[in-house]
Amino acid sequence: VQLQASGGGLVQTGGSLRLSCAASGFSLDHYSVAWLRQAPGKEREGVSCSSSRIGGTYYAESMKGRFTVSRDNAKNTVYLQISNLLPEDTGVYYCAADPIATCGGSDWTVFVRGMDYWGKGTQVTVSS
């Protein structure tokens, strides 16, 4: 069972990135899949959580509108599209998955911190 996050890089303010979270050894379609990020000197925070069970995606309030999650079940991959990047988006982005496919409901921001499977993070750096 493995998760691999990729797609990070150095971009200018206003740019876009698409991060990928590829799974091997299990099907993401039956799991909650989350994106979290950790900015320098700050705690890890939930960005989003999605699953087919809930039929949608939870987003952190401050990230609604610029962050979009999508899935490609054929590639067993979940994507995080980030548009209009800001310097405060700088950090390490992680993807995580859990067989409890509801994202924990309204307490998803707590749920995602304890997910079972984690990928190594991918660094996103936004220059001003």
Side-chain angles (χ1 to χ4, degrees), residues 5 8 18 24 27 33 40 43 59 80 82 87 91 97 104-105 110-112 124 127:
R18 189 178 75 161
S24 58
S27 173
V33 181
E43 292 187 354
Y59 293 97
L80 178 67
I82 313 173
V110 175
F111 175 80
V112 298
V124 172
S127 62

Side-chain angles (χ1 to χ4, degrees), residues 29-113:
D29 190 37
H30 303 295
Y31 281 66
S32 296
V33 181
W35 286 97
L36 301 92
R37 74 179 182 187
Q38 188 163 18
K42 294 187 178 181
E43 292 187 354
R44 195 173 297 180
E45 61 176 340
V47 173
S48 66
C49 189
S50 64
S51 82
S52 57
R53 181 79 62 85
I54 64 173
T57 302
Y58 294 105
Y59 293 97
E61 195 64 35
S62 63
M63 300 174 198
K64 288 181 179 178
R66 295 192 300 115
F67 291 70
T68 305
V69 171
S70 61
R71 287 178 179 242
D72 185 335
N73 290 331
K75 294 183 178 180
N76 208 21
T77 300
V78 174
Y79 302 99
L80 178 67
Q81 178 76 37
I82 313 173
S83 59
N84 192 23
L85 279 155
L86 303 170
E88 50 263 44
D89 294 322
T90 294
V92 180
Y93 285 71
Y94 299 88
C95 64
D98 196 279
I100 298 176
T102 60
C103 288
S106 60
D107 290 330
W108 70 272
T109 58
V110 175
F111 175 80
V112 298
R113 295 179 183 179

